[in-house]
Amino acid sequence: MRRIAIFDTTLRDGEQTPGVNLLPAEKLEIAVRLEELGVNVIEAGFPNSSTSDFEAVRGIAAEIGAATVAALARTKEDDILRAAAALEGARHPRIHVFTSSSAVHLQYMLRKSEDEVIEQSIAAVRLARRYVDDVEFSGQDAMRSNPALIYRLLEAAIEAGATVVNVPDTVGYAIPDEFGSLIRGIRETVRGIDRVTVSVHCHNDLGLATANTLAGLLAGADQAEVALNGIGERAGNTALEEVAMVIATRGAALGLETGLRTAAIGPVSRLVSRLTGIPVQPNKAIVGRNAFEHESGIHQDGILKERTTYEIMRPEDVGVIPNTLVLGKHSGRHAFRVRLQALGYALEESAQEELFRRFKDLTDRKKEVTDDDIRALAEERLVGDDDSFMLETFHVSSLGGRQATATVTIRRPGREPVREAAAGDGPVDALCQALSRAAGMAGTLVHYALHSVSAGSDAQGEVACQVRVGDRVVGGHGVSTDVLEASALAYLAALNRAQRWMARESATEVG
Ligand code: KIV
Ligand code: ZN
């Protein structure tokens, strides 16, 4: 078995998903969970792209112990210095230097000759090596590049001190055979290649990212660059959960293994979805909510007789605990806490107590509370902030779903409640407008998705939304048995997040 290193770029390439903006505290929360999952490298951000990315990388570098923490940098000196500064506290720091290698990138983006790109890359890798022992080098758009240039470029980078060479299919153009051949060509041709780790980084524009990544690994690459839920630029990156579970399920056939604790995949996938505001499509492999559901009678019958008739993986191996009916109105504190623990939530006393109170509220509105309901409650907790607006009351009246008015009352801790009303184009629009007025923040809903957490007409509705506030798009998430309340909670969560961004930005300006 060949051990494959898993390089997770959820916090860097994943954060380049349109409309995703993670606060440093949110990135840290995800990084801690990625380390528990057992990824080998966490690409924490691009420090020279913004103050907040710099801080996020610095915070993660200080916290993470076992995994390598990587920071992205162009071949520019100030990018590399900034990445090195952000990584100062890391136990295992890596600077990831990138340039481009395709003719179209050289001509239109870099406006440089091949020789100039090579010279610049050598200088950049050498500079990065003055600060860290581990330097990854990537030539963007490798798949559409002349292989002869890639060979020269990688050889030069290795000579200059790169320890990892990454081969990106930046625009998701490859097909598996072709990508495998590219990696094989690199392995056979590039001098010094055996001294370094060969990495693959695929995008999913044609839906082939996982297939191409596997082709690359089978052709001799030793590191896969992936993102949870497959998020990332455009159609996204190779999904971590897919590579992890192909290797876990078919490892014997592939001769590959990873060191991932795959049972942590489900919880961290849900965390990423909640913090980014990007819902996971229901039929998404491994982490979609239908991935372990069986609809037809024949399938259900088969599963009841023998699970392996229709299941090639066990849901618990990817952290999906079958949705069982567990608690109700008469369940006590102890039963609730035991269930929380069984679902993997190790929370402080005060958080458990607060969740128990919300669980009791829920049992007033919903007869049967399932594991999914409990998960939704637990995952709904916001990243610690005590200046957030809370929804106190809301009222909506709607005429045929079109003309609608809403009145809301919101309150920040220690302040007077604010009450506002607005008319809107439908109940959700009216609610959002009233909330924006009350919070004093104009927002535009750019994405809204509603799905039910469990079955039945009293099921909780879960809303994920993205809201543009000024020039920033922020995500929000809300759960309630009342879908309008879930909508209001999600919108307000997004406004709260926008407020935290604004507070950070003004603190940085003053500082
Ligand atoms: O897709 C890409 O080429 C990248 C590089 C920065 C590695 O994300
Ligand atoms: Zn990428």
Side-chain angles (χ1 to χ4, degrees), residues 262-300:
T262 60
I265 288 177
V268 66
S269 153
R270 288 191 291 274
L271 177 70
V272 167
S273 171
R274 180 168 61 82
L275 294 181
T276 57
I278 308 279
V280 175
Q281 80 193 55
N283 58 328
K284 168 80 188 60
I286 323 293
V287 292
R289 75 171 181 279
N290 294 349
F292 294 94
E293 294 291 324
H294 303 276
E295 180 67 20
S296 91
I298 296 175
H299 287 217
Q300 286 174 350

Short mmCIF file of all heavy atoms in Angstrom, two decimals, residues 262-300:
data_model
loop_
_atom_site.label_atom_id
_atom_site.label_comp_id
_atom_site.label_asym_id
_atom_site.label_seq_id
_atom_site.Cartn_x
_atom_site.Cartn_y
_atom_site.Cartn_z
N THR A 262 -11.90 8.66 8.72
CA THR A 262 -13.00 9.05 7.84
C THR A 262 -14.30 9.33 8.59
O THR A 262 -15.16 10.04 8.08
CB THR A 262 -13.24 7.97 6.76
OG1 THR A 262 -13.56 6.74 7.43
CG2 THR A 262 -12.04 7.77 5.87
N ALA A 263 -14.44 8.78 9.80
CA ALA A 263 -15.69 9.02 10.55
C ALA A 263 -15.85 10.50 10.89
O ALA A 263 -16.95 10.93 11.27
CB ALA A 263 -15.73 8.17 11.80
N ALA A 264 -14.78 11.28 10.75
CA ALA A 264 -14.91 12.72 11.05
C ALA A 264 -15.39 13.51 9.83
O ALA A 264 -15.61 14.72 9.92
CB ALA A 264 -13.56 13.26 11.53
N ILE A 265 -15.54 12.85 8.69
CA ILE A 265 -15.89 13.57 7.46
C ILE A 265 -17.26 14.25 7.57
O ILE A 265 -17.41 15.44 7.24
CB ILE A 265 -15.86 12.61 6.23
CG1 ILE A 265 -14.42 12.26 5.89
CG2 ILE A 265 -16.56 13.25 5.03
CD1 ILE A 265 -14.27 11.27 4.74
N GLY A 266 -18.28 13.50 8.01
CA GLY A 266 -19.65 14.05 8.06
C GLY A 266 -19.73 15.34 8.86
O GLY A 266 -20.18 16.37 8.35
N PRO A 267 -19.27 15.32 10.14
CA PRO A 267 -19.37 16.55 10.94
C PRO A 267 -18.62 17.73 10.33
O PRO A 267 -19.13 18.85 10.32
CB PRO A 267 -18.76 16.14 12.29
CG PRO A 267 -18.93 14.67 12.35
CD PRO A 267 -18.88 14.16 10.94
N VAL A 268 -17.42 17.49 9.79
CA VAL A 268 -16.68 18.66 9.28
C VAL A 268 -17.29 19.14 7.96
O VAL A 268 -17.31 20.34 7.67
CB VAL A 268 -15.15 18.40 9.23
CG1 VAL A 268 -14.74 17.37 8.27
CG2 VAL A 268 -14.38 19.67 8.93
N SER A 269 -17.86 18.21 7.20
CA SER A 269 -18.56 18.62 5.97
C SER A 269 -19.75 19.53 6.32
O SER A 269 -19.97 20.57 5.69
CB SER A 269 -19.05 17.37 5.22
OG SER A 269 -20.18 17.66 4.44
N ARG A 270 -20.48 19.15 7.37
CA ARG A 270 -21.64 19.97 7.76
C ARG A 270 -21.18 21.34 8.29
O ARG A 270 -21.80 22.36 8.02
CB ARG A 270 -22.49 19.24 8.81
CG ARG A 270 -23.26 18.06 8.22
CD ARG A 270 -24.30 17.53 9.20
NE ARG A 270 -23.70 16.88 10.35
CZ ARG A 270 -23.32 15.60 10.38
NH1 ARG A 270 -23.50 14.83 9.34
NH2 ARG A 270 -22.77 15.08 11.47
N LEU A 271 -20.07 21.33 9.02
CA LEU A 271 -19.54 22.59 9.54
C LEU A 271 -19.16 23.53 8.39
O LEU A 271 -19.49 24.73 8.40
CB LEU A 271 -18.31 22.31 10.42
CG LEU A 271 -17.60 23.53 10.98
CD1 LEU A 271 -18.47 24.20 12.05
CD2 LEU A 271 -16.24 23.17 11.58
N VAL A 272 -18.49 22.97 7.38
CA VAL A 272 -18.07 23.80 6.24
C VAL A 272 -19.31 24.35 5.52
O VAL A 272 -19.37 25.53 5.17
CB VAL A 272 -17.18 22.98 5.27
CG1 VAL A 272 -16.99 23.69 3.94
CG2 VAL A 272 -15.83 22.70 5.92
N SER A 273 -20.31 23.51 5.36
CA SER A 273 -21.53 23.95 4.68
C SER A 273 -22.19 25.08 5.47
O SER A 273 -22.61 26.09 4.90
CB SER A 273 -22.47 22.76 4.52
OG SER A 273 -23.71 23.19 4.07
N ARG A 274 -22.24 24.92 6.78
CA ARG A 274 -22.91 25.94 7.60
C ARG A 274 -22.14 27.25 7.58
O ARG A 274 -22.72 28.32 7.40
CB ARG A 274 -23.06 25.42 9.03
CG ARG A 274 -23.75 26.39 9.96
CD ARG A 274 -24.12 25.74 11.26
NE ARG A 274 -22.99 25.24 11.99
CZ ARG A 274 -22.20 25.99 12.77
NH1 ARG A 274 -22.44 27.27 12.91
NH2 ARG A 274 -21.19 25.45 13.40
N LEU A 275 -20.81 27.18 7.73
CA LEU A 275 -20.05 28.43 7.82
C LEU A 275 -19.90 29.12 6.46
O LEU A 275 -19.78 30.34 6.39
CB LEU A 275 -18.67 28.18 8.45
CG LEU A 275 -18.69 27.74 9.92
CD1 LEU A 275 -17.27 27.56 10.44
CD2 LEU A 275 -19.44 28.74 10.79
N THR A 276 -19.91 28.34 5.39
CA THR A 276 -19.79 28.98 4.07
C THR A 276 -21.14 29.39 3.52
O THR A 276 -21.22 30.20 2.60
CB THR A 276 -19.14 28.04 3.03
OG1 THR A 276 -19.94 26.84 2.96
CG2 THR A 276 -17.71 27.70 3.39
N GLY A 277 -22.22 28.81 4.06
CA GLY A 277 -23.55 29.08 3.50
C GLY A 277 -23.76 28.36 2.18
O GLY A 277 -24.70 28.66 1.45
N ILE A 278 -22.89 27.39 1.84
CA ILE A 278 -23.05 26.63 0.59
C ILE A 278 -23.65 25.27 0.94
O ILE A 278 -22.97 24.41 1.52
CB ILE A 278 -21.68 26.37 -0.10
CG1 ILE A 278 -20.90 27.67 -0.28
CG2 ILE A 278 -21.85 25.62 -1.41
CD1 ILE A 278 -21.30 28.49 -1.46
N PRO A 279 -24.92 25.06 0.59
CA PRO A 279 -25.52 23.76 0.93
C PRO A 279 -24.89 22.63 0.12
O PRO A 279 -24.38 22.86 -0.97
CB PRO A 279 -27.00 23.92 0.54
CG PRO A 279 -27.13 25.24 -0.12
CD PRO A 279 -25.81 25.93 -0.17
N VAL A 280 -24.94 21.44 0.67
CA VAL A 280 -24.43 20.27 -0.05
C VAL A 280 -25.59 19.69 -0.85
O VAL A 280 -26.68 19.50 -0.31
CB VAL A 280 -23.91 19.22 0.96
CG1 VAL A 280 -23.49 17.94 0.27
CG2 VAL A 280 -22.75 19.79 1.77
N GLN A 281 -25.36 19.43 -2.13
CA GLN A 281 -26.47 18.91 -2.95
C GLN A 281 -26.92 17.55 -2.38
O GLN A 281 -26.07 16.76 -1.94
CB GLN A 281 -26.06 18.78 -4.42
CG GLN A 281 -25.25 17.55 -4.72
CD GLN A 281 -24.59 17.59 -6.09
OE1 GLN A 281 -23.87 18.51 -6.42
NE2 GLN A 281 -24.82 16.58 -6.89
N PRO A 282 -28.23 17.28 -2.36
CA PRO A 282 -28.71 16.07 -1.67
C PRO A 282 -28.10 14.78 -2.19
O PRO A 282 -27.85 13.86 -1.41
CB PRO A 282 -30.23 16.08 -1.95
CG PRO A 282 -30.55 17.48 -2.35
CD PRO A 282 -29.30 18.09 -2.92
N ASN A 283 -27.83 14.70 -3.50
CA ASN A 283 -27.27 13.45 -4.04
C ASN A 283 -25.76 13.50 -4.14
O ASN A 283 -25.16 12.70 -4.85
CB ASN A 283 -27.86 13.15 -5.42
CG ASN A 283 -27.60 14.26 -6.40
OD1 ASN A 283 -27.52 15.43 -6.01
ND2 ASN A 283 -27.44 13.93 -7.67
N LYS A 284 -25.11 14.41 -3.42
CA LYS A 284 -23.64 14.49 -3.44
C LYS A 284 -23.07 13.19 -2.87
O LYS A 284 -23.51 12.72 -1.81
CB LYS A 284 -23.21 15.68 -2.59
CG LYS A 284 -21.74 15.78 -2.26
CD LYS A 284 -20.96 16.34 -3.43
CE LYS A 284 -19.47 16.26 -3.21
NZ LYS A 284 -18.96 14.91 -3.02
N ALA A 285 -22.09 12.63 -3.59
CA ALA A 285 -21.45 11.40 -3.12
C ALA A 285 -20.93 11.60 -1.70
O ALA A 285 -20.41 12.66 -1.36
CB ALA A 285 -20.29 11.03 -4.04
N ILE A 286 -21.07 10.62 -0.89
CA ILE A 286 -20.58 10.51 0.51
C ILE A 286 -21.32 11.42 1.50
O ILE A 286 -21.79 10.96 2.51
CB ILE A 286 -19.05 10.80 0.64
CG1 ILE A 286 -18.24 10.26 -0.55
CG2 ILE A 286 -18.51 10.35 1.99
CD1 ILE A 286 -18.19 8.78 -0.67
N VAL A 287 -21.39 12.73 1.22
CA VAL A 287 -21.90 13.64 2.26
C VAL A 287 -23.28 14.21 1.96
O VAL A 287 -23.83 14.96 2.78
CB VAL A 287 -20.91 14.79 2.56
CG1 VAL A 287 -19.65 14.26 3.21
CG2 VAL A 287 -20.57 15.57 1.28
N GLY A 288 -23.85 13.89 0.79
CA GLY A 288 -25.20 14.36 0.48
C GLY A 288 -26.20 13.65 1.38
O GLY A 288 -25.97 12.51 1.79
N ARG A 289 -27.32 14.33 1.69
CA ARG A 289 -28.20 13.69 2.67
C ARG A 289 -28.88 12.45 2.11
O ARG A 289 -29.41 11.63 2.86
CB ARG A 289 -29.20 14.70 3.26
CG ARG A 289 -30.32 15.11 2.39
CD ARG A 289 -31.34 15.93 3.15
NE ARG A 289 -32.41 16.28 2.26
CZ ARG A 289 -32.36 17.28 1.39
NH1 ARG A 289 -31.29 18.06 1.36
NH2 ARG A 289 -33.35 17.52 0.57
N ASN A 290 -28.88 12.25 0.78
CA ASN A 290 -29.47 11.02 0.22
C ASN A 290 -28.45 9.90 0.04
O ASN A 290 -28.80 8.82 -0.42
CB ASN A 290 -30.08 11.31 -1.16
CG ASN A 290 -31.26 12.24 -1.07
OD1 ASN A 290 -31.75 12.51 0.02
ND2 ASN A 290 -31.71 12.75 -2.20
N ALA A 291 -27.18 10.19 0.37
CA ALA A 291 -26.12 9.23 0.02
C ALA A 291 -26.34 7.85 0.65
O ALA A 291 -25.88 6.84 0.13
CB ALA A 291 -24.75 9.78 0.40
N PHE A 292 -27.07 7.81 1.78
CA PHE A 292 -27.32 6.51 2.43
C PHE A 292 -28.82 6.27 2.61
O PHE A 292 -29.23 5.52 3.49
CB PHE A 292 -26.58 6.43 3.77
CG PHE A 292 -25.09 6.44 3.61
CD1 PHE A 292 -24.38 7.63 3.68
CD2 PHE A 292 -24.40 5.27 3.33
CE1 PHE A 292 -23.00 7.65 3.51
CE2 PHE A 292 -23.03 5.27 3.15
CZ PHE A 292 -22.33 6.47 3.24
N GLU A 293 -29.64 6.94 1.80
CA GLU A 293 -31.10 6.73 1.87
C GLU A 293 -31.49 5.72 0.81
O GLU A 293 -30.92 5.72 -0.29
CB GLU A 293 -31.83 8.05 1.60
CG GLU A 293 -31.61 9.13 2.66
CD GLU A 293 -32.27 8.79 3.99
OE1 GLU A 293 -33.36 8.20 3.97
OE2 GLU A 293 -31.67 9.11 5.03
N HIS A 294 -32.49 4.91 1.10
CA HIS A 294 -32.93 3.91 0.12
C HIS A 294 -34.43 4.09 -0.08
O HIS A 294 -35.21 3.96 0.85
CB HIS A 294 -32.60 2.50 0.62
CG HIS A 294 -31.14 2.34 0.89
ND1 HIS A 294 -30.24 2.03 -0.09
CD2 HIS A 294 -30.42 2.52 2.03
CE1 HIS A 294 -29.02 2.01 0.43
NE2 HIS A 294 -29.11 2.31 1.72
N GLU A 295 -34.81 4.41 -1.31
CA GLU A 295 -36.18 4.83 -1.57
C GLU A 295 -37.08 3.68 -2.05
O GLU A 295 -38.17 3.47 -1.54
CB GLU A 295 -36.14 5.97 -2.61
CG GLU A 295 -37.47 6.54 -3.02
CD GLU A 295 -38.19 7.27 -1.88
OE1 GLU A 295 -37.50 7.67 -0.92
OE2 GLU A 295 -39.42 7.40 -1.96
N SER A 296 -36.60 2.92 -3.03
CA SER A 296 -37.51 1.93 -3.61
C SER A 296 -37.69 0.74 -2.66
O SER A 296 -36.79 0.40 -1.87
CB SER A 296 -36.98 1.44 -4.95
OG SER A 296 -36.17 0.32 -4.77
N GLY A 297 -38.88 0.12 -2.75
CA GLY A 297 -39.20 -1.02 -1.88
C GLY A 297 -38.18 -2.13 -2.02
O GLY A 297 -37.76 -2.74 -1.03
N ILE A 298 -37.75 -2.38 -3.25
CA ILE A 298 -36.80 -3.49 -3.48
C ILE A 298 -35.50 -3.20 -2.74
O ILE A 298 -34.92 -4.06 -2.07
CB ILE A 298 -36.53 -3.66 -5.00
CG1 ILE A 298 -37.84 -4.08 -5.69
CG2 ILE A 298 -35.40 -4.64 -5.26
CD1 ILE A 298 -37.75 -4.16 -7.20
N HIS A 299 -35.04 -1.94 -2.85
CA HIS A 299 -33.78 -1.60 -2.18
C HIS A 299 -33.95 -1.68 -0.66
O HIS A 299 -33.09 -2.22 0.05
CB HIS A 299 -33.33 -0.18 -2.57
CG HIS A 299 -32.81 -0.09 -3.97
ND1 HIS A 299 -31.76 0.72 -4.32
CD2 HIS A 299 -33.20 -0.72 -5.11
CE1 HIS A 299 -31.52 0.58 -5.61
NE2 HIS A 299 -32.39 -0.28 -6.11
N GLN A 300 -35.07 -1.15 -0.16
CA GLN A 300 -35.27 -1.17 1.30
C GLN A 300 -35.31 -2.60 1.81
O GLN A 300 -34.70 -2.93 2.83
CB GLN A 300 -36.57 -0.44 1.65
CG GLN A 300 -36.43 1.06 1.51
CD GLN A 300 -37.75 1.78 1.71
OE1 GLN A 300 -38.81 1.16 1.77
NE2 GLN A 300 -37.68 3.10 1.78
#
